[in-house]
Amino acid sequence: MFFAGVDIGSTSTECVILNESGEIVAADMRPTGANSAKAAQAVLDSAVEKAGLDAPPHRIVATGYGRVSAPFAHKVVTEITCHARGVLHLFPQVRTIVDVGGQDSKVIRIGPKGNVIDFVMNDKCSAGSGRFLEVMARALEVELDDLGPLSEKSAEEISISSMCTVFAESEVISLVARAVPVEDIINGIHKSIVNRLASQMQRMNPEPDIVMTGGVAKNSGMVKKLSMAAGHTVLVPENPRMTGALGAALTAMGLERE
Amino acid sequence: MAQFVKTDAGKRLTRLITNGYMDNIVKAQQGAFVVWIAIIVPAEIFAGFDNVIYCVPESHSALCAGKGVGVSLCEKAENLGYSMDLCSYARIDMGCHFNQGADSPAGGLPKPDLLVSNNNNCTLLAKWFDVYHREWDIPHFILDIPFCYQPQKQRDMEYIVSQFQDLIQTVEKLSGQKFNPEKMAQAWENSVEAAKHWRRFLAAAKNKPSGITAFDSFVQMAPTLTMRGTPELAEHYRFLADETEARVDQGIVPAPNEKYRLLWDNIAPWHQLRKMSSRLGALDANIIAASYTYCIGSLEGSLDPLEFASLSPLEGMARVQNFTICPHGLQLRGQAMKQAIEEMDIDGVVFASNRSCKVYSLMQMDQQRYVQEELGVPTVMIDVDHADERKYSEETAFVRLEALLESIDEARR
Ligand code: SF4
């Protein structure tokens, strides 16, 4: 018997398939694009193929912003619950999760029994999210994956005052024009996002272990800064984008037991 | 799944509201003295005159938002140069009335002879009425209502009563009509009677499953604002309460499989009533009550109805000035919410942070912490605007609402 979780986010869609013992037998992801239903079906199909299954998984749970556009799902569950389950599976001691996705950032507090006790999400503005970093990388003409290593070479931390993605972009362009080193600008961008995340986190009284998930957790510069702001080492799963889908797959397993 | 059966009280309400707006237009054409008032301005006073009618721009803006023309009217005001950050009630109203009643489902409000506002909810409102005062050269009477950190003090009541007396004289002078205190007293009695039945209607939420949704009470609130002091209002609320009680006795309830009993904190999201209630209904969740709808007739800091017997009509009306939530300090709001949660056995609280109404929303973060940490009840904060749909994102709100239901489930395990 196999169980699948599909996390349909604003930027990417992920799928994780588990076997009866809860081991990951396949995982896959792709950009969500304009048609989230199509992306969801495609990622499920390719994960099923990777796992070598000849029938669809026994139970499927969908999560993420596009969770309602997955007609194959037996249940839809929010990404808050799924992220918590996924991370808890990997880090049983986790108490605080900081997830920075394409369009939103959220901080989730986990109680001693592994339940979600509270969460905050950014409001309708995408400042401080993955999209913010994408826009900045484009303005600086550097690859997204290079932001982390580059920022670690910075000698000086400059400050980016605009919260708004569009204004921050023009601020960055003017810094480039003034020949401020790219590493320092990136360092400043990271600082501005971390400041926002830190204030979100403070509202939740963060306790260790703190785990960061979402695509932005791949950025080593961000993780270091967040650790400094939190006063604790921030842990990152091996595949920080997959925790939502993993949590969904674990929920699918739970459905079978209900 | 929630059932949407149009109740007889619902049908009656549509008739009452339509007739109310039409009547005002006809009476104004026939020469009545027209007053525009902020909600809670004691409309019973105007019943003391033979030919004075009143209109409530805030309620009219809510109607526009509910009928889907909120955004187009906000844009009309913005085109005139009013900031998008102003309360959407104000923008809708100015967008409508600076364009000869454009888009209004009620044909707009008849032009006023006097504006009466107050500062018990917000200061924006007085500024908004001031715009008409300047543009149309119409007198503007502002009632100054003290903020309350505790139940109203005697001295504040006297201060408010003295302003009512000024208001009566002002209307006499401007309209040339004589004030009759007995007619006002009769209107006040009608209001007290109406409030009694309103409370009976709201009490149906205590039933399990709840006999009403907060969405029913949001729409049924309208005549409290536009028909205060009339015998028709008292009669309508009697009918509403009787019908609701009878339905509960017969087991007819809006969400028969009610799994989650939620409390709403803030003004109604007028543009979402139907969508939000049906989407929640599909999840077996019911917002059964709202701090907003209890602001009619409750003592500050509790849900208990105020007894008016020992008060004169003007004193009673002065007392009502502090009924609404906005002029209440954190402690009073917290006390009332605690009582609501206990009496109605609430599973979770939805704090709707309203982009327009800062005064309602300002204390919500502290309030949320109190409910969550001290009372141990799960909560969620969502972003809304009560009348400007552009500032609301359904998916963003629902991911939070569904997460609230999931955390209630977890807490039950
Ligand atoms: S800001 Fe709030 S209190 Fe003031 S007019 Fe708007 S809705 Fe009413």
Side-chain angles (χ1 to χ4, degrees):
Chain A
M1 225 183 274
F2 295 92
F3 307 96
V6 183
D7 180 359
I8 309 151
S10 59
T11 311
S12 59
T13 297
E14 294 89 18
C15 176
V16 165
I17 298 182
L18 301 176
N19 64 16
E20 265 179 38
S21 334
E23 291 153 349
I24 299 180
V25 293
D28 203 5
M29 62 170 288
R30 62 181 53 215
T32 303
N35 187 335
S36 54
K38 224 163 117 186
Q41 188 64 55
V43 81
L44 176 69
D45 291 347
S46 65
V48 164
E49 201 184 312
K50 264 193 183 175
L53 313 186
D54 39 24
H58 194 64
R59 285 275 179 266
I60 307 172
V61 166
T63 186
Y65 268 92
R67 63 193 179 285
V68 284
S69 48
F72 49 75
H74 298 101
K75 188 171 180 176
V76 290
V77 177
T78 66
E79 57 263 42
I80 313 281
T81 301
C82 287
H83 271 288
R85 290 209 178 127
V87 175
L88 205 68
H89 185 72
L90 303 170
F91 299 90
Q93 299 304 322
V94 66
R95 289 289 167 272
T96 311
I97 301 171
V98 182
D99 175 72
V100 186
Q103 266 182 20
D104 65 27
S105 54
K106 47 187 166 291
V107 179
I108 307 171
R109 270 294 307 277
I110 308 289
K113 288 193 223 126
N115 52 327
V116 173
I117 49 176
D118 201 0
F119 66 91
V120 278
M121 287 171 95
N122 64 326
D123 46 34
K124 271 174 290 161
C125 169
S126 76
S129 67
R131 185 80 82 221
F132 183 82
L133 274 179
E134 275 173 32
V135 172
M136 297 309 136
R138 207 178 51 213
L140 290 166
E141 296 182 344
V142 301
E143 290 297 321
L144 201 55
D145 290 344
D146 295 338
L147 289 176
L150 276 172
S151 73
E152 295 191 52
K153 291 194 192 128
S154 160
E156 202 189 337
E157 194 182 68
I158 52 140
S159 71
I160 308 281
S161 52
S162 308
M163 286 266 205
C164 159
T165 311
V166 177
F167 291 164
E169 187 180 14
S170 34
E171 205 176 326
V172 162
I173 291 169
S174 76
L175 289 169
V176 173
R178 280 178 12 221
V180 175
V182 171
E183 306 84 65
D184 293 348
I185 302 178
I186 298 172
N187 203 11
I189 293 168
H190 288 172
K191 189 178 121 191
S192 94
I193 301 181
V194 166
N195 284 351
R196 253 184 94 102
L197 284 176
S199 62
Q200 247 181 341
M201 214 158 64
Q202 287 318 323
R203 274 172 62 188
M204 292 284 101
N205 300 326
E207 278 174 29
D209 288 355
I210 302 175
V211 176
M212 184 172 182
T213 61
V216 177
K218 284 185 167 263
N219 179 325
S220 56
M222 282 285 298
V223 177
K224 274 199 186 131
K225 276 210 161 14
L226 192 66
S227 299
M228 262 155 62
H232 297 283
T233 307
V234 170
L235 310 170
V236 178
E238 197 183 311
N239 199 340
R241 290 184 126 157
M242 288 291 180
T243 46
L246 172 62
L250 291 164
T251 309
M253 245 177 115
L255 285 183
E256 189 55 32
R257 299 207 185 103
E258 268 171 19
Chain B
M1 180 77 194
Q3 295 172 354
F4 292 104
V5 196
K6 188 97 176 161
T7 57
D8 287 337
K11 290 181 205 147
R12 228 169 163 274
L13 175 77
T14 314
R15 262 196 325 269
L16 271 180
I17 298 286
T18 317
N19 293 347
Y21 278 104
M22 290 308 130
D23 268 7
N24 270 351
I25 291 179
V26 172
K27 283 186 184 149
Q29 278 166 353
Q30 291 167 350
F33 184 84
V34 182
V35 190
W36 280 16
I37 63 166
I39 53 166
I40 318 292
V41 165
E44 295 85 355
I45 285 181
F46 309 120
F49 293 89
D50 283 340
N51 199 16
V52 174
I53 58 166
Y54 74 95
C55 305
V56 191
E58 289 153 274
S59 192
H60 174 252
S61 292
L63 176 77
C64 290
K67 295 286 179 202
V69 293
V71 170
S72 70
L73 288 171
C74 281
E75 283 170 348
K76 285 195 169 66
E78 288 152 24
N79 290 344
L80 292 171
Y82 291 99
S83 162
M84 204 178 177
D85 291 329
L86 295 174
C87 170
S88 43
Y89 277 173
R91 278 179 290 140
I92 290 177
D93 192 51
M94 293 190 286
C96 177
H97 293 111
F98 285 138
N99 286 290
Q100 290 75 44
D103 297 352
S104 160
L109 304 174
K111 221 164 167 188
D113 298 302
L114 171 67
L115 302 152
V116 184
S117 72
N118 53 25
N119 60 1
N120 58 350
N121 286 341
C122 72
T123 40
L124 177 144
L125 196 134
K127 296 285 175 200
W128 153 20
F129 277 32
D130 251 351
V131 172
Y132 297 128
H133 163 63
R134 278 197 309 272
E135 294 290 324
W136 294 337
D137 195 21
I138 288 164
H140 181 191
F141 189 106
I142 305 176
L143 291 162
D144 179 36
I145 311 296
F147 191 83
C148 61
Y149 291 100
Q150 41 192 273
Q152 194 179 65
K153 297 193 196 76
Q154 181 65 25
R155 125 171 140 231
D156 289 346
M157 184 195 281
E158 287 162 12
Y159 173 56
I160 299 171
V161 166
S162 72
Q163 296 179 66
F164 290 169
Q165 282 156 345
D166 278 355
L167 175 62
I168 293 170
Q169 283 175 13
T170 306
V171 178
E172 278 192 323
K173 207 164 86 202
L174 293 173
S175 70
Q177 299 177 33
K178 188 91 194 91
F179 175 69
N180 177 345
E182 269 144 43
K183 280 169 77 182
M184 178 191 72
Q186 181 55 52
W188 174 243
E189 254 177 51
N190 294 337
S191 291
V192 173
E193 177 74 5
K196 206 173 74 193
H197 296 302
W198 175 254
R199 305 300 303 237
R200 204 151 58 78
F201 162 66
L202 290 185
K206 291 186 190 165
N207 194 63
K208 280 189 174 178
S210 167
I212 56 170
T213 74
F215 300 95
D216 301 325
S217 58
F218 290 148
V219 280
Q220 286 289 355
M221 245 175 116
T224 297
L225 308 176
T226 58
M227 296 175 53
R228 202 131 27 93
T230 62
E232 290 83 6
L233 177 69
E235 173 52 24
H236 177 65
Y237 282 166
R238 190 197 55 71
F239 185 92
L240 171 69
D242 286 352
E243 186 186 28
T244 308
E245 283 173 353
R247 289 166 74 90
V248 169
D249 286 346
Q250 293 158 32
I252 309 173
V253 294
N257 304 320
E258 176 185 279
K259 261 174 77 188
Y260 313 94
R261 297 164 66 82
L262 308 178
L263 179 70
W264 175 272
D265 186 59
N266 216 304
I267 303 176
W270 297 115
H271 44 85
Q272 293 300 314
L273 298 183
R274 193 114 233 177
K275 262 199 229 160
M276 193 181 272
S277 60
S278 47
R279 206 166 153 179
L280 283 172
L283 301 165
D284 292 328
N286 186 3
I287 298 183
I288 63 168
S291 55
Y292 182 51
T293 49
Y294 269 90
C295 68
I296 307 175
S298 296
L299 265 176
E300 303 92 329
S302 87
L303 303 189
D304 302 332
L306 177 69
E307 287 305 326
F308 295 101
S310 62
L311 303 173
S312 73
L314 282 184
E315 285 171 339
M317 286 176 227
R319 199 71 176 75
V320 172
Q321 297 304 300
N322 281 132
F323 271 174
T324 48
I325 304 287
C326 295
H328 290 179
L330 197 54
Q331 213 185 349
L332 292 181
R333 291 193 195 196
Q335 273 171 22
M337 189 161 278
K338 179 169 188 275
Q339 191 182 356
I341 289 171
E342 285 167 359
E343 280 188 7
M344 282 177 275
D345 203 7
I346 295 292
D347 299 315
V349 181
V350 180
F351 287 95
S353 173
N354 186 340
R355 294 256 163 171
S356 272
C357 193
K358 277 84 177 175
V359 276
Y360 210 134
S361 313
L362 198 63
M363 297 176 209
Q364 283 181 312
M365 259 192 208
D366 292 300
Q367 180 104 338
Q368 184 182 22
R369 190 170 311 136
Y370 163 72
V371 171
Q372 197 138 311
E373 289 170 13
E374 305 281 318
L375 308 180
V377 172
T379 66
V380 77
M381 176 94 64
I382 62 170
D383 282 299
V384 299
D385 186 288
H386 60 253
D388 185 349
E389 204 174 342
R390 293 169 300 174
K391 298 187 183 176
Y392 171 77
S393 153
E394 184 178 339
E395 287 314 317
T396 316
F398 262 85
V399 83
R400 287 156 170 80
L401 290 170
E402 287 174 35
L404 172 69
L405 306 185
E406 287 165 9
S407 56
I408 295 171
D409 280 341
E410 288 227 9
R412 282 176 179 162
R413 282 210 181 123

